[in-house]
């Protein structure tokens, strides 16, 4: 059962790794010069199984997130999760009268100071989720791709897939800038590129591109201890001395406005954190994340099962679970109950 995976972002790499690990011949095609050059590399990469939005079928996947990440850590030594926990007060007042659920706790005063000692003006209350963590998405994606190769997968970069090769109603592979690549199954995991590739098969694949402004900063190691989510920004330490900050609801219409937004982000960080005067900008960019309108879209897109779609937000959080479940479905032919609410419209499990 040869499989062609289109896209070497975090989702495609996870699918390829889990398939190759089960002995399936896999070819991965990606339009970039290396893995994770698209939306994956532009991710804030906050991992958690409790808080946040879990639209549609994502709700059925959240319970497996932490266990699948811990499993991957044992399988792949290069997958290093920083299990720092998170501290958030974005909608703290709105959530104050709602149950938080297991694994999340209201904290205040000395507890906040203990978690983030450099925070100058901490909120009166915040939500602490000790089990949250973060990864370097590029490092993780490369670890998955390298492991897939070690299990026999072929990975081809700078390969732009232009169309599906159809014989009658059946898809028999893909046409790309590196030629024709045959596969008994084609997995479309190219994020916002999936609707265009699948337009002949599915009338509607509602996947929008959601922009996010990401800013990288140098900082004293340990300046930020947890993943901090305030109304003004989210920030976490990716590695010692390297902070990643993302700004909500920023409209960037030019290179100049992007640069201004990055400098504004730096100033806001310096206002909020003691010891941050020496922080410096390392880079900034706008990432465009695939955002399916009604939650993850995962499943077969043809009745003959020759094409499979896998596109989701949050891809970094869900990738280990999605990769495992998709590979199991493709290998066994049995639908995964956890994916029953993720199917492309018109295609039941």
């Amino acid at each position: 059962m040869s499989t062609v995976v289109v896209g070497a972002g975090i989702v495609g790499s996870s699918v390829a790794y889990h398939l190759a690990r089960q002995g399936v011949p896999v070819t991965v095609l990606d339009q970039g010069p290396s893995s994770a050059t698209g939306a994956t590399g532009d991710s804030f990469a906050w991992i958690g199984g409790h808080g946040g939005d879990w639209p549609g079928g994502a709700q059925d996947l959240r319970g497996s997130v932490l266990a699948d990440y811990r499993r991957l850590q044992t399988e792949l030594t290069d997958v290093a999760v920083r299990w720092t926990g998170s501290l958030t007060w974005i909608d703290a007042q709105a959530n104050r009268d709602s149950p938080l659920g297991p694994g999340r706790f209201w904290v205040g005063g000395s507890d906040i100071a203990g978690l983030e000692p450099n925070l100058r003006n901490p909120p009166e209350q915040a939500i602490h989720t000790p089990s949250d963590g973060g990864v370097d998405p590029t490092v993780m994606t490369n670890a998955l791709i390298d492991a897939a190769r070690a299990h026999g997968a072929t990975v081809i970069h700078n390969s732009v897939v232009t169309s599906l090769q159809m014989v009658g109603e059946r898809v028999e592979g893909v046409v790309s800038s590196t030629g024709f690549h045959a596969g008994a199954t084609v997995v479309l995991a190219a994020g916002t590129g999936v609707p265009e590739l699948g337009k002949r098969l599915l009338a509607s694949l509602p996947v929008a591109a959601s922009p996010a402004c990401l800013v990288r900063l140098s900082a004293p190691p340990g300046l930020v201890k947890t993943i901090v989510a305030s109304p003004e920004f989210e920030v976490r330490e990716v590695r010692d001395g390297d902070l990643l900050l993302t700004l909500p609801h920023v409209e960037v219409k030019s290179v100049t406005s992007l640069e201004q937004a990055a400098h504004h982000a730096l100033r806001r960080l310096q206002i909020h954190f003691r010891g941050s005067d020496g922080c410096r900008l390392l880079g900034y960019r706008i990432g465009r994340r695939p955002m399916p309108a009604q939650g993850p879209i995962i499943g077969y897109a043809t009745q003959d099962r020759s094409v499979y779609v896998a596109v989701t937000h949050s891809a970094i959080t869900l990738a280990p679970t999605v990769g495992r479940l998709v590979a199991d479905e493709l290998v066994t032919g049995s639908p995964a109950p956890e994916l029953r609410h993720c199917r492309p419209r018109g295609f039941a499990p």
Side-chain angles (χ1 to χ4, degrees), residues 238-261:
V238 180
R239 62 184 68 84
D240 289 351
D242 187 353
L243 297 181
L244 181 62
L245 186 149
T246 183
L247 299 172
H249 316 303
V250 172
E251 283 193 28
V252 175
K253 299 180 180 179
S254 67
V255 174
T256 301
S257 62
L258 174 58
E259 183 178 9
Q260 290 172 343

mmCIF file with all atom_site columns, all heavy atoms in Angstrom, residues 238-261:
data_model
loop_
_atom_site.group_PDB
_atom_site.id
_atom_site.type_symbol
_atom_site.label_atom_id
_atom_site.label_alt_id
_atom_site.label_comp_id
_atom_site.label_asym_id
_atom_site.label_entity_id
_atom_site.label_seq_id
_atom_site.pdbx_PDB_ins_code
_atom_site.Cartn_x
_atom_site.Cartn_y
_atom_site.Cartn_z
_atom_site.occupancy
_atom_site.B_iso_or_equiv
_atom_site.pdbx_formal_charge
_atom_site.auth_seq_id
_atom_site.auth_comp_id
_atom_site.auth_asym_id
_atom_site.auth_atom_id
_atom_site.pdbx_PDB_model_num
ATOM 1   N N   . VAL A 1 238 ? 11.431 29.599 23.868 1.00 0.00 ? 238 VAL A N   1
ATOM 2   C CA  . VAL A 1 238 ? 11.570 28.451 22.979 1.00 0.00 ? 238 VAL A CA  1
ATOM 3   C C   . VAL A 1 238 ? 12.791 27.625 23.370 1.00 0.00 ? 238 VAL A C   1
ATOM 4   O O   . VAL A 1 238 ? 12.765 26.395 23.380 1.00 0.00 ? 238 VAL A O   1
ATOM 5   C CB  . VAL A 1 238 ? 11.684 28.909 21.509 1.00 0.00 ? 238 VAL A CB  1
ATOM 6   C CG1 . VAL A 1 238 ? 11.834 27.711 20.574 1.00 0.00 ? 238 VAL A CG1 1
ATOM 7   C CG2 . VAL A 1 238 ? 10.466 29.733 21.117 1.00 0.00 ? 238 VAL A CG2 1
ATOM 8   N N   . ARG A 1 239 ? 13.864 28.320 23.668 1.00 0.00 ? 239 ARG A N   1
ATOM 9   C CA  . ARG A 1 239 ? 15.098 27.713 24.177 1.00 0.00 ? 239 ARG A CA  1
ATOM 10  C C   . ARG A 1 239 ? 15.755 28.769 25.041 1.00 0.00 ? 239 ARG A C   1
ATOM 11  O O   . ARG A 1 239 ? 15.348 29.933 25.024 1.00 0.00 ? 239 ARG A O   1
ATOM 12  C CB  . ARG A 1 239 ? 16.010 27.249 23.042 1.00 0.00 ? 239 ARG A CB  1
ATOM 13  C CG  . ARG A 1 239 ? 16.496 28.358 22.148 1.00 0.00 ? 239 ARG A CG  1
ATOM 14  C CD  . ARG A 1 239 ? 17.312 27.847 20.975 1.00 0.00 ? 239 ARG A CD  1
ATOM 15  N NE  . ARG A 1 239 ? 16.471 27.097 20.052 1.00 0.00 ? 239 ARG A NE  1
ATOM 16  C CZ  . ARG A 1 239 ? 15.733 27.671 19.099 1.00 0.00 ? 239 ARG A CZ  1
ATOM 17  N NH1 . ARG A 1 239 ? 15.711 28.988 18.960 1.00 0.00 ? 239 ARG A NH1 1
ATOM 18  N NH2 . ARG A 1 239 ? 15.021 26.943 18.282 1.00 0.00 ? 239 ARG A NH2 1
ATOM 19  N N   . ASP A 1 240 ? 16.766 28.416 25.806 1.00 0.00 ? 240 ASP A N   1
ATOM 20  C CA  . ASP A 1 240 ? 17.391 29.364 26.714 1.00 0.00 ? 240 ASP A CA  1
ATOM 21  C C   . ASP A 1 240 ? 17.830 30.628 25.980 1.00 0.00 ? 240 ASP A C   1
ATOM 22  O O   . ASP A 1 240 ? 18.613 30.568 25.017 1.00 0.00 ? 240 ASP A O   1
ATOM 23  C CB  . ASP A 1 240 ? 18.613 28.727 27.387 1.00 0.00 ? 240 ASP A CB  1
ATOM 24  C CG  . ASP A 1 240 ? 18.224 27.656 28.399 1.00 0.00 ? 240 ASP A CG  1
ATOM 25  O OD1 . ASP A 1 240 ? 17.016 27.537 28.692 1.00 0.00 ? 240 ASP A OD1 1
ATOM 26  O OD2 . ASP A 1 240 ? 19.114 26.948 28.896 1.00 0.00 ? 240 ASP A OD2 1
ATOM 27  N N   . GLY A 1 241 ? 17.287 31.763 26.408 1.00 0.00 ? 241 GLY A N   1
ATOM 28  C CA  . GLY A 1 241 ? 17.678 33.043 25.822 1.00 0.00 ? 241 GLY A CA  1
ATOM 29  C C   . GLY A 1 241 ? 16.981 33.405 24.535 1.00 0.00 ? 241 GLY A C   1
ATOM 30  O O   . GLY A 1 241 ? 17.326 34.398 23.898 1.00 0.00 ? 241 GLY A O   1
ATOM 31  N N   . ASP A 1 242 ? 15.960 32.626 24.122 1.00 0.00 ? 242 ASP A N   1
ATOM 32  C CA  . ASP A 1 242 ? 15.248 32.859 22.863 1.00 0.00 ? 242 ASP A CA  1
ATOM 33  C C   . ASP A 1 242 ? 13.746 32.852 23.143 1.00 0.00 ? 242 ASP A C   1
ATOM 34  O O   . ASP A 1 242 ? 13.177 31.815 23.485 1.00 0.00 ? 242 ASP A O   1
ATOM 35  C CB  . ASP A 1 242 ? 15.616 31.781 21.848 1.00 0.00 ? 242 ASP A CB  1
ATOM 36  C CG  . ASP A 1 242 ? 15.047 32.058 20.455 1.00 0.00 ? 242 ASP A CG  1
ATOM 37  O OD1 . ASP A 1 242 ? 14.261 33.018 20.320 1.00 0.00 ? 242 ASP A OD1 1
ATOM 38  O OD2 . ASP A 1 242 ? 15.378 31.312 19.519 1.00 0.00 ? 242 ASP A OD2 1
ATOM 39  N N   . LEU A 1 243 ? 13.132 34.041 23.040 1.00 0.00 ? 243 LEU A N   1
ATOM 40  C CA  . LEU A 1 243 ? 11.700 34.167 23.290 1.00 0.00 ? 243 LEU A CA  1
ATOM 41  C C   . LEU A 1 243 ? 10.934 34.244 21.975 1.00 0.00 ? 243 LEU A C   1
ATOM 42  O O   . LEU A 1 243 ? 11.405 34.815 20.992 1.00 0.00 ? 243 LEU A O   1
ATOM 43  C CB  . LEU A 1 243 ? 11.395 35.438 24.093 1.00 0.00 ? 243 LEU A CB  1
ATOM 44  C CG  . LEU A 1 243 ? 11.967 35.558 25.505 1.00 0.00 ? 243 LEU A CG  1
ATOM 45  C CD1 . LEU A 1 243 ? 11.516 36.872 26.127 1.00 0.00 ? 243 LEU A CD1 1
ATOM 46  C CD2 . LEU A 1 243 ? 11.540 34.376 26.365 1.00 0.00 ? 243 LEU A CD2 1
ATOM 47  N N   . LEU A 1 244 ? 9.736  33.670 21.981 1.00 0.00 ? 244 LEU A N   1
ATOM 48  C CA  . LEU A 1 244 ? 8.805  33.802 20.865 1.00 0.00 ? 244 LEU A CA  1
ATOM 49  C C   . LEU A 1 244 ? 7.570  34.505 21.399 1.00 0.00 ? 244 LEU A C   1
ATOM 50  O O   . LEU A 1 244 ? 7.006  34.109 22.425 1.00 0.00 ? 244 LEU A O   1
ATOM 51  C CB  . LEU A 1 244 ? 8.430  32.429 20.300 1.00 0.00 ? 244 LEU A CB  1
ATOM 52  C CG  . LEU A 1 244 ? 7.474  32.428 19.105 1.00 0.00 ? 244 LEU A CG  1
ATOM 53  C CD1 . LEU A 1 244 ? 8.093  33.155 17.918 1.00 0.00 ? 244 LEU A CD1 1
ATOM 54  C CD2 . LEU A 1 244 ? 7.107  31.001 18.713 1.00 0.00 ? 244 LEU A CD2 1
ATOM 55  N N   . LEU A 1 245 ? 7.165  35.546 20.704 1.00 0.00 ? 245 LEU A N   1
ATOM 56  C CA  . LEU A 1 245 ? 6.029  36.356 21.135 1.00 0.00 ? 245 LEU A CA  1
ATOM 57  C C   . LEU A 1 245 ? 5.067  36.497 19.968 1.00 0.00 ? 245 LEU A C   1
ATOM 58  O O   . LEU A 1 245 ? 5.491  36.683 18.825 1.00 0.00 ? 245 LEU A O   1
ATOM 59  C CB  . LEU A 1 245 ? 6.545  37.723 21.598 1.00 0.00 ? 245 LEU A CB  1
ATOM 60  C CG  . LEU A 1 245 ? 5.568  38.709 22.218 1.00 0.00 ? 245 LEU A CG  1
ATOM 61  C CD1 . LEU A 1 245 ? 6.293  39.569 23.254 1.00 0.00 ? 245 LEU A CD1 1
ATOM 62  C CD2 . LEU A 1 245 ? 4.974  39.627 21.144 1.00 0.00 ? 245 LEU A CD2 1
ATOM 63  N N   . THR A 1 246 ? 3.798  36.392 20.261 1.00 0.00 ? 246 THR A N   1
ATOM 64  C CA  . THR A 1 246 ? 2.798  36.565 19.206 1.00 0.00 ? 246 THR A CA  1
ATOM 65  C C   . THR A 1 246 ? 1.778  37.600 19.642 1.00 0.00 ? 246 THR A C   1
ATOM 66  O O   . THR A 1 246 ? 1.419  37.678 20.817 1.00 0.00 ? 246 THR A O   1
ATOM 67  C CB  . THR A 1 246 ? 2.106  35.234 18.848 1.00 0.00 ? 246 THR A CB  1
ATOM 68  O OG1 . THR A 1 246 ? 1.187  35.444 17.765 1.00 0.00 ? 246 THR A OG1 1
ATOM 69  C CG2 . THR A 1 246 ? 1.340  34.653 20.031 1.00 0.00 ? 246 THR A CG2 1
ATOM 70  N N   . LEU A 1 247 ? 1.345  38.409 18.679 1.00 0.00 ? 247 LEU A N   1
ATOM 71  C CA  . LEU A 1 247 ? 0.408  39.492 18.957 1.00 0.00 ? 247 LEU A CA  1
ATOM 72  C C   . LEU A 1 247 ? -0.970 39.155 18.399 1.00 0.00 ? 247 LEU A C   1
ATOM 73  O O   . LEU A 1 247 ? -1.088 38.718 17.253 1.00 0.00 ? 247 LEU A O   1
ATOM 74  C CB  . LEU A 1 247 ? 0.891  40.792 18.311 1.00 0.00 ? 247 LEU A CB  1
ATOM 75  C CG  . LEU A 1 247 ? 2.248  41.325 18.776 1.00 0.00 ? 247 LEU A CG  1
ATOM 76  C CD1 . LEU A 1 247 ? 2.675  42.492 17.904 1.00 0.00 ? 247 LEU A CD1 1
ATOM 77  C CD2 . LEU A 1 247 ? 2.170  41.747 20.227 1.00 0.00 ? 247 LEU A CD2 1
ATOM 78  N N   . PRO A 1 248 ? -2.030 39.328 19.185 1.00 0.00 ? 248 PRO A N   1
ATOM 79  C CA  . PRO A 1 248 ? -3.380 39.061 18.667 1.00 0.00 ? 248 PRO A CA  1
ATOM 80  C C   . PRO A 1 248 ? -3.913 40.246 17.863 1.00 0.00 ? 248 PRO A C   1
ATOM 81  O O   . PRO A 1 248 ? -3.606 41.408 18.166 1.00 0.00 ? 248 PRO A O   1
ATOM 82  C CB  . PRO A 1 248 ? -4.199 38.872 19.955 1.00 0.00 ? 248 PRO A CB  1
ATOM 83  C CG  . PRO A 1 248 ? -3.509 39.749 20.960 1.00 0.00 ? 248 PRO A CG  1
ATOM 84  C CD  . PRO A 1 248 ? -2.040 39.735 20.595 1.00 0.00 ? 248 PRO A CD  1
ATOM 85  N N   . HIS A 1 249 ? -4.681 39.946 16.865 1.00 0.00 ? 249 HIS A N   1
ATOM 86  C CA  . HIS A 1 249 ? -5.471 40.961 16.142 1.00 0.00 ? 249 HIS A CA  1
ATOM 87  C C   . HIS A 1 249 ? -4.625 42.112 15.602 1.00 0.00 ? 249 HIS A C   1
ATOM 88  O O   . HIS A 1 249 ? -4.962 43.288 15.756 1.00 0.00 ? 249 HIS A O   1
ATOM 89  C CB  . HIS A 1 249 ? -6.577 41.509 17.040 1.00 0.00 ? 249 HIS A CB  1
ATOM 90  C CG  . HIS A 1 249 ? -7.316 40.477 17.814 1.00 0.00 ? 249 HIS A CG  1
ATOM 91  N ND1 . HIS A 1 249 ? -7.960 39.423 17.210 1.00 0.00 ? 249 HIS A ND1 1
ATOM 92  C CD2 . HIS A 1 249 ? -7.482 40.308 19.150 1.00 0.00 ? 249 HIS A CD2 1
ATOM 93  C CE1 . HIS A 1 249 ? -8.513 38.653 18.142 1.00 0.00 ? 249 HIS A CE1 1
ATOM 94  N NE2 . HIS A 1 249 ? -8.232 39.157 19.316 1.00 0.00 ? 249 HIS A NE2 1
ATOM 95  N N   . VAL A 1 250 ? -3.500 41.791 14.986 1.00 0.00 ? 250 VAL A N   1
ATOM 96  C CA  . VAL A 1 250 ? -2.653 42.826 14.399 1.00 0.00 ? 250 VAL A CA  1
ATOM 97  C C   . VAL A 1 250 ? -2.878 42.853 12.893 1.00 0.00 ? 250 VAL A C   1
ATOM 98  O O   . VAL A 1 250 ? -2.716 41.846 12.215 1.00 0.00 ? 250 VAL A O   1
ATOM 99  C CB  . VAL A 1 250 ? -1.169 42.567 14.716 1.00 0.00 ? 250 VAL A CB  1
ATOM 100 C CG1 . VAL A 1 250 ? -0.293 43.544 13.942 1.00 0.00 ? 250 VAL A CG1 1
ATOM 101 C CG2 . VAL A 1 250 ? -0.913 42.715 16.207 1.00 0.00 ? 250 VAL A CG2 1
ATOM 102 N N   . GLU A 1 251 ? -3.241 44.023 12.378 1.00 0.00 ? 251 GLU A N   1
ATOM 103 C CA  . GLU A 1 251 ? -3.395 44.183 10.933 1.00 0.00 ? 251 GLU A CA  1
ATOM 104 C C   . GLU A 1 251 ? -2.086 44.738 10.369 1.00 0.00 ? 251 GLU A C   1
ATOM 105 O O   . GLU A 1 251 ? -1.687 45.850 10.703 1.00 0.00 ? 251 GLU A O   1
ATOM 106 C CB  . GLU A 1 251 ? -4.557 45.129 10.626 1.00 0.00 ? 251 GLU A CB  1
ATOM 107 C CG  . GLU A 1 251 ? -5.927 44.489 10.791 1.00 0.00 ? 251 GLU A CG  1
ATOM 108 C CD  . GLU A 1 251 ? -7.018 45.343 10.174 1.00 0.00 ? 251 GLU A CD  1
ATOM 109 O OE1 . GLU A 1 251 ? -6.724 46.079 9.211  1.00 0.00 ? 251 GLU A OE1 1
ATOM 110 O OE2 . GLU A 1 251 ? -8.152 45.268 10.659 1.00 0.00 ? 251 GLU A OE2 1
ATOM 111 N N   . VAL A 1 252 ? -1.440 43.941 9.547  1.00 0.00 ? 252 VAL A N   1
ATOM 112 C CA  . VAL A 1 252 ? -0.169 44.357 8.955  1.00 0.00 ? 252 VAL A CA  1
ATOM 113 C C   . VAL A 1 252 ? -0.370 44.505 7.449  1.00 0.00 ? 252 VAL A C   1
ATOM 114 O O   . VAL A 1 252 ? -0.652 43.540 6.750  1.00 0.00 ? 252 VAL A O   1
ATOM 115 C CB  . VAL A 1 252 ? 0.940  43.339 9.267  1.00 0.00 ? 252 VAL A CB  1
ATOM 116 C CG1 . VAL A 1 252 ? 2.217  43.741 8.545  1.00 0.00 ? 252 VAL A CG1 1
ATOM 117 C CG2 . VAL A 1 252 ? 1.181  43.247 10.765 1.00 0.00 ? 252 VAL A CG2 1
ATOM 118 N N   . LYS A 1 253 ? -0.216 45.733 6.971  1.00 0.00 ? 253 LYS A N   1
ATOM 119 C CA  . LYS A 1 253 ? -0.470 46.011 5.564  1.00 0.00 ? 253 LYS A CA  1
ATOM 120 C C   . LYS A 1 253 ? 0.799  46.297 4.763  1.00 0.00 ? 253 LYS A C   1
ATOM 121 O O   . LYS A 1 253 ? 0.744  46.465 3.557  1.00 0.00 ? 253 LYS A O   1
ATOM 122 C CB  . LYS A 1 253 ? -1.439 47.201 5.446  1.00 0.00 ? 253 LYS A CB  1
ATOM 123 C CG  . LYS A 1 253 ? -2.802 46.927 6.096  1.00 0.00 ? 253 LYS A CG  1
ATOM 124 C CD  . LYS A 1 253 ? -3.722 48.108 5.964  1.00 0.00 ? 253 LYS A CD  1
ATOM 125 C CE  . LYS A 1 253 ? -5.075 47.830 6.602  1.00 0.00 ? 253 LYS A CE  1
ATOM 126 N NZ  . LYS A 1 253 ? -5.992 48.990 6.511  1.00 0.00 ? 253 LYS A NZ  1
ATOM 127 N N   . SER A 1 254 ? 1.931  46.349 5.456  1.00 0.00 ? 254 SER A N   1
ATOM 128 C CA  . SER A 1 254 ? 3.184  46.637 4.761  1.00 0.00 ? 254 SER A CA  1
ATOM 129 C C   . SER A 1 254 ? 4.344  46.149 5.609  1.00 0.00 ? 254 SER A C   1
ATOM 130 O O   . SER A 1 254 ? 4.184  45.810 6.787  1.00 0.00 ? 254 SER A O   1
ATOM 131 C CB  . SER A 1 254 ? 3.322  48.147 4.517  1.00 0.00 ? 254 SER A CB  1
ATOM 132 O OG  . SER A 1 254 ? 3.476  48.822 5.754  1.00 0.00 ? 254 SER A OG  1
ATOM 133 N N   . VAL A 1 255 ? 5.527  46.122 5.007  1.00 0.00 ? 255 VAL A N   1
ATOM 134 C CA  . VAL A 1 255 ? 6.736  45.749 5.746  1.00 0.00 ? 255 VAL A CA  1
ATOM 135 C C   . VAL A 1 255 ? 6.980  46.730 6.888  1.00 0.00 ? 255 VAL A C   1
ATOM 136 O O   . VAL A 1 255 ? 7.369  46.350 7.995  1.00 0.00 ? 255 VAL A O   1
ATOM 137 C CB  . VAL A 1 255 ? 7.945  45.713 4.799  1.00 0.00 ? 255 VAL A CB  1
ATOM 138 C CG1 . VAL A 1 255 ? 9.241  45.479 5.578  1.00 0.00 ? 255 VAL A CG1 1
ATOM 139 C CG2 . VAL A 1 255 ? 7.761  44.631 3.742  1.00 0.00 ? 255 VAL A CG2 1
ATOM 140 N N   . THR A 1 256 ? 6.707  48.003 6.629  1.00 0.00 ? 256 THR A N   1
ATOM 141 C CA  . THR A 1 256 ? 6.903  49.028 7.657  1.00 0.00 ? 256 THR A CA  1
ATOM 142 C C   . THR A 1 256 ? 5.985  48.807 8.847  1.00 0.00 ? 256 THR A C   1
ATOM 143 O O   . THR A 1 256 ? 6.417  48.895 10.007 1.00 0.00 ? 256 THR A O   1
ATOM 144 C CB  . THR A 1 256 ? 6.667  50.434 7.066  1.00 0.00 ? 256 THR A CB  1
ATOM 145 O OG1 . THR A 1 256 ? 7.574  50.649 6.002  1.00 0.00 ? 256 THR A OG1 1
ATOM 146 C CG2 . THR A 1 256 ? 6.861  51.501 8.135  1.00 0.00 ? 256 THR A CG2 1
ATOM 147 N N   . SER A 1 257 ? 4.718  48.511 8.579  1.00 0.00 ? 257 SER A N   1
ATOM 148 C CA  . SER A 1 257 ? 3.782  48.292 9.686  1.00 0.00 ? 257 SER A CA  1
ATOM 149 C C   . SER A 1 257 ? 4.121  47.029 10.461 1.00 0.00 ? 257 SER A C   1
ATOM 150 O O   . SER A 1 257 ? 3.918  46.962 11.673 1.00 0.00 ? 257 SER A O   1
ATOM 151 C CB  . SER A 1 257 ? 2.339  48.239 9.174  1.00 0.00 ? 257 SER A CB  1
ATOM 152 O OG  . SER A 1 257 ? 2.153  47.159 8.275  1.00 0.00 ? 257 SER A OG  1
ATOM 153 N N   . LEU A 1 258 ? 4.676  46.020 9.780  1.00 0.00 ? 258 LEU A N   1
ATOM 154 C CA  . LEU A 1 258 ? 5.117  44.806 10.474 1.00 0.00 ? 258 LEU A CA  1
ATOM 155 C C   . LEU A 1 258 ? 6.283  45.125 11.406 1.00 0.00 ? 258 LEU A C   1
ATOM 156 O O   . LEU A 1 258 ? 6.324  44.676 12.559 1.00 0.00 ? 258 LEU A O   1
ATOM 157 C CB  . LEU A 1 258 ? 5.516  43.736 9.467  1.00 0.00 ? 258 LEU A CB  1
ATOM 158 C CG  . LEU A 1 258 ? 6.128  42.450 10.031 1.00 0.00 ? 258 LEU A CG  1
ATOM 159 C CD1 . LEU A 1 258 ? 5.186  41.778 11.019 1.00 0.00 ? 258 LEU A CD1 1
ATOM 160 C CD2 . LEU A 1 258 ? 6.486  41.486 8.895  1.00 0.00 ? 258 LEU A CD2 1
ATOM 161 N N   . GLU A 1 259 ? 7.236  45.917 10.909 1.00 0.00 ? 259 GLU A N   1
ATOM 162 C CA  . GLU A 1 259 ? 8.374  46.307 11.739 1.00 0.00 ? 259 GLU A CA  1
ATOM 163 C C   . GLU A 1 259 ? 7.909  47.124 12.942 1.00 0.00 ? 259 GLU A C   1
ATOM 164 O O   . GLU A 1 259 ? 8.389  46.931 14.071 1.00 0.00 ? 259 GLU A O   1
ATOM 165 C CB  . GLU A 1 259 ? 9.369  47.117 10.909 1.00 0.00 ? 259 GLU A CB  1
ATOM 166 C CG  . GLU A 1 259 ? 10.626 47.495 11.674 1.00 0.00 ? 259 GLU A CG  1
ATOM 167 C CD  . GLU A 1 259 ? 11.611 48.265 10.822 1.00 0.00 ? 259 GLU A CD  1
ATOM 168 O OE1 . GLU A 1 259 ? 11.251 48.648 9.689  1.00 0.00 ? 259 GLU A OE1 1
ATOM 169 O OE2 . GLU A 1 259 ? 12.740 48.485 11.294 1.00 0.00 ? 259 GLU A OE2 1
ATOM 170 N N   . GLN A 1 260 ? 6.959  48.008 12.728 1.00 0.00 ? 260 GLN A N   1
ATOM 171 C CA  . GLN A 1 260 ? 6.424  48.806 13.830 1.00 0.00 ? 260 GLN A CA  1
ATOM 172 C C   . GLN A 1 260 ? 5.742  47.919 14.866 1.00 0.00 ? 260 GLN A C   1
ATOM 173 O O   . GLN A 1 260 ? 5.897  48.127 16.078 1.00 0.00 ? 260 GLN A O   1
ATOM 174 C CB  . GLN A 1 260 ? 5.443  49.846 13.289 1.00 0.00 ? 260 GLN A CB  1
ATOM 175 C CG  . GLN A 1 260 ? 6.100  50.957 12.481 1.00 0.00 ? 260 GLN A CG  1
ATOM 176 C CD  . GLN A 1 260 ? 5.092  51.863 11.798 1.00 0.00 ? 260 GLN A CD  1
ATOM 177 O OE1 . GLN A 1 260 ? 3.915  51.525 11.650 1.00 0.00 ? 260 GLN A OE1 1
ATOM 178 N NE2 . GLN A 1 260 ? 5.562  53.038 11.376 1.00 0.00 ? 260 GLN A NE2 1
ATOM 179 N N   . ALA A 1 261 ? 4.990  46.920 14.398 1.00 0.00 ? 261 ALA A N   1
ATOM 180 C CA  . ALA A 1 261 ? 4.317  45.997 15.318 1.00 0.00 ? 261 ALA A CA  1
ATOM 181 C C   . ALA A 1 261 ? 5.336  45.210 16.140 1.00 0.00 ? 261 ALA A C   1
ATOM 182 O O   . ALA A 1 261 ? 5.140  44.969 17.339 1.00 0.00 ? 261 ALA A O   1
ATOM 183 C CB  . ALA A 1 261 ? 3.415  45.052 14.539 1.00 0.00 ? 261 ALA A CB  1
#
